[in-house]
Amino acid sequence: MGMWSIGVGALGAAAVALLLANTDIFLSKPQKATLEYLEDIELKTLGKEPRTFKAKELWEEKGAVIMAVRRPGCFLCREEAADLSSLKPKLDELGVPLYAVVKEHIRTEVKDFQPYFKGEIFLDEKKKFYGPQRRKMMFMGFVRLGVWSNFFRARNGGFSGNLEGEGFILGGVFVVGSGKQGILLEHREKEFGDKVNPVSVLEAARKIKPQTLAPEGK
């Protein structure tokens, strides 16, 4: 009876742990970014002669859609990148650029990501786009049913990837208006493969009001 009780108790504890891991109780709550916070982020181009600039250059005139990529080699991130890229023709009609930021530049990871993402990609070495409060999902993610559902969805969609690079710091997607219009959409990944809704991205992009240049001489 003693061993039987221990076994039942262990199974019960495992069941409770699994149940709790599939709630949002232990998920860190994201802290909303302010426009001022995003504007001051330093980004770097990935060309032969890297240039460092303030992130506000990306949206100052026309606004922007920006993906903070958790890991370029992740097949779930590649799936989301492809979803956002499917909006590119409509974003072009609106005059809204599509960008991505990565937190590290490892070997050919960014180059291998580019077939999935149809916008320019920049390096965020200080991982500011993943803040203000940087959140991680560790191995708990692999017992969440939602994550496994996302895995199967992406695999069935034909996406594949690798294990290169840091992949625990969660990413997100921003739609930022021009000038001081502000952040029109902020999607924070709550678990691996928690994609932004492309319809919401497009709705937010349609609210962007491009900056008009003042006539010369005035």
Side-chain angles (χ1 to χ4, degrees), residues 71 73-76 78-79 116 147-163:
R71 191 170 63 80
C74 170
F75 68 104
L76 296 170
R78 290 175 173 183
E79 180 195 29
Y116 304 94
V147 171
W148 282 99
S149 175
N150 296 338
F151 283 167
F152 288 123
R153 181 196 64 221
R155 287 294 185 196
N156 290 337
F159 293 92
S160 61
N162 58 53
L163 298 175

Side-chain angles (χ1 to χ4, degrees), residues 41-100:
I41 294 174
E42 287 190 347
L43 299 177
K44 187 179 290 185
T45 59
L46 296 175
K48 291 182 179 179
E49 297 181 3
R51 177 178 75 89
T52 300
F53 64 97
K54 295 292 186 180
K56 67 179 181 180
E57 285 187 26
L58 298 182
W59 59 79
E60 207 158 25
E61 291 184 10
K62 300 179 180 179
V65 175
I66 304 166
M67 178 183 181
V69 183
R70 181 164 52 79
R71 191 170 63 80
C74 170
F75 68 104
L76 296 170
C77 299
R78 290 175 173 183
E79 180 195 29
E80 183 170 34
D83 281 356
L84 289 172
S85 294
S86 72
L87 301 177
K88 188 77 164 57
K90 292 180 180 178
L91 292 175
D92 286 346
E93 287 178 13
L94 296 170
V96 177
L98 176 65
Y99 300 118

Side-chain angles (χ1 to χ4, degrees), residues 37-201:
Y37 171 84
L38 294 182
E39 284 178 330
D40 202 44
I41 294 174
E42 287 190 347
L43 299 177
K44 187 179 290 185
T45 59
L46 296 175
K48 291 182 179 179
E49 297 181 3
R51 177 178 75 89
T52 300
F53 64 97
K54 295 292 186 180
K56 67 179 181 180
E57 285 187 26
L58 298 182
W59 59 79
E60 207 158 25
E61 291 184 10
K62 300 179 180 179
V65 175
I66 304 166
M67 178 183 181
V69 183
R70 181 164 52 79
R71 191 170 63 80
C74 170
F75 68 104
L76 296 170
C77 299
R78 290 175 173 183
E79 180 195 29
E80 183 170 34
D83 281 356
L84 289 172
S85 294
S86 72
L87 301 177
K88 188 77 164 57
K90 292 180 180 178
L91 292 175
D92 286 346
E93 287 178 13
L94 296 170
V96 177
L98 176 65
Y99 300 118
V101 297
V102 294
K103 49 181 153 33
E104 52 189 359
H105 190 198
I106 300 175
R107 291 182 285 280
T108 63
E109 288 302 288
V110 172
K111 180 181 178 182
D112 295 340
F113 183 69
Q114 285 175 323
Y116 304 94
F117 189 77
K118 304 305 180 186
E120 200 168 352
I121 303 172
F122 304 98
L123 179 63
D124 176 11
E125 287 182 310
K126 296 179 181 177
K127 306 177 180 66
K128 293 289 189 178
F129 263 99
Y130 304 84
Q133 179 185 341
R134 208 175 295 164
R135 298 168 306 117
K136 288 186 177 184
M137 172 159 279
M138 306 299 285
F139 297 104
M140 182 182 73
F142 297 102
V143 297
R144 288 180 63 88
L145 297 179
V147 171
W148 282 99
S149 175
N150 296 338
F151 283 167
F152 288 123
R153 181 196 64 221
R155 287 294 185 196
N156 290 337
F159 293 92
S160 61
N162 58 53
L163 298 175
E164 293 284 343
E166 196 287 322
F168 294 119
I169 297 175
L170 297 170
V173 173
F174 300 84
V175 178
V176 187
S178 62
K180 293 293 183 180
Q181 191 179 356
I183 301 169
L184 304 176
L185 181 145
E186 181 176 354
H187 169 79
R188 297 288 186 167
E189 190 180 26
K190 78 171 187 176
E191 62 185 7
F192 302 143
D194 174 31
K195 300 189 299 178
V196 69
N197 184 338
V199 175
S200 298
V201 172

